[in-house]
Structures are given as C-alpha cells and as structure tokens.
Amino acid sequence: MADQLETVAQSLLSQLSDIPFIRANQNGSRPKLPYATYQVNARTTVGSDEYRLVDGSGLMPITGVREGSILINFFGARAREQADNLVNSIRKVSSHDLMRKLSLILFATGNVTDLTALRDSANFEEMANVDVSFRYAAKYSDNVGVIETVDATGEIQGQTIHKTITVKS
C-alpha cells in the first residue's frame, strides 16, 4: 500500500510525463509498454525540526524538512528519451509551480542510464533509469498539554511557604 509521499510522487510524476507511472515491486500482471516504475528509495531529516508556540489546547505544531531519492525505471520504446524528457520537465517553470502546489519538490536529477537488455533469448527491451532527489516539509503536532495550576512549596528564612497558583492563558 502506498503512503502519502508515494501517492503524491505518483501524481506529480504522472503529470510531468506522458507515460503511466506505477509503484515498483508490485504483484500483478505486467502493464502495457511503455511505462515507468518509481520507488521512494530513501528519506532523511534535514537539520532540526522547528517547534512552534503551544496553542490554548496544548498542541505544539512542528515542521521539519525531509529529503530523499526516488528511483525511476522506464520500460518500452524510447525509454532513454522518456527519462530525458522527465529530467527536462522537472526543470520547467510550470513544473516548479506544480511541485509547489503538491508540496513535493524534485531536484538534482542524476544521470540518465541506458539499461537496455536482452529480455528473452531473442528480444531486447529498451530500459532506462534515473534517480531524482526530492524535498518536502513534514508537518505534525505534539500534544504537550497546558499548565493549569502551579503548586509550589519552598523555604524562606527557615519558614516553609506553600503557594498554589492558577495559570491564566
């Protein structure tokens, strides 16, 4: 089952190319050629996440930058050209607008590699590969609660003091 990142990646890649994109490593019959597969290969946190002010209900919004890579394989006629076309599409201004809209930025594409190989004993199949880096903002929250009262006990000049203070927001 695809997670949200994979779903957004498929939507974005499908809009940047004129061939279908499917998630790699799926069971089922082989799609009609040409097509491409994609696999979110790695994800990592960049820097530290930003912790924002806690709201009145005790929720703290947190935002962090994530980046990683997507391995894309092209199959069928003009596979290498399809990979080149995707790389070019990623660089278009209109594609940048689409990426911002979907909150998934593709950048730093790797080399397009021709992987054409013998499919069976007599037939070659055109195949190509390209790795694409991505970046997005992860947004999540933490319920840290709210301090409603403070109960303090201390000693001043040998005398025990106890105070209960109600915190007003």
Side-chain angles (χ1 to χ4, degrees):
M1 182 171 195
D3 65 19
Q4 184 174 355
L5 174 60
E6 291 169 324
T7 301
V8 172
Q10 181 174 14
S11 174
L12 177 57
L13 291 168
S14 295
Q15 293 179 66
L16 296 177
S17 180
D18 59 356
I19 63 171
F21 277 80
I22 60 171
R23 215 162 34 93
N25 306 322
Q26 300 297 298
N27 293 324
S29 55
R30 190 166 189 220
K32 182 181 169 208
L33 295 172
Y35 67 93
T37 63
Y38 72 96
Q39 178 179 353
V40 176
N41 207 27
R43 299 181 218 196
T44 189
T45 299
V46 177
S48 298
D49 290 355
E50 178 183 346
Y51 298 85
R52 300 186 184 224
L53 294 176
V54 177
D55 68 14
S57 67
L59 285 178
M60 176 190 293
I62 306 167
T63 304
V65 176
R66 307 292 184 261
E67 69 179 24
S69 61
I70 303 173
L71 172 65
I72 304 171
N73 291 307
F74 295 83
F75 301 88
R78 301 177 19 247
R80 190 175 55 224
E81 182 180 341
Q82 292 287 354
D84 285 333
N85 290 343
L86 177 65
V87 169
N88 293 336
S89 286
I90 289 170
R91 295 180 175 138
K92 291 179 180 178
V93 172
S94 58
S95 297
H96 292 184
D97 292 340
L98 175 63
M99 290 180 226
R100 279 191 289 277
K101 179 180 173 190
L102 294 175
S103 301
L104 181 64
I105 307 300
L106 303 180
F107 66 98
T109 57
N111 295 328
V112 172
T113 305
D114 184 359
L115 301 175
T116 299
L118 199 57
R119 184 74 179 162
D120 53 38
S121 60
N123 299 301
F124 281 90
E125 180 177 354
E126 290 185 54
M127 296 182 281
N129 163 278
V130 65
D131 291 342
V132 176
S133 297
F134 66 86
R135 186 172 286 161
Y136 68 97
K139 297 178 181 181
Y140 58 105
S141 62
D142 189 5
N143 190 347
V144 297
V146 176
I147 298 174
E148 295 174 351
T149 60
V150 176
D151 191 357
T153 303
E155 198 172 298
I156 298 177
Q157 297 177 350
Q159 186 175 6
T160 301
I161 306 283
H162 178 260
K163 286 280 186 186
T164 301
I165 302 168
T166 302
V167 178
K168 297 177 184 176
S169 52

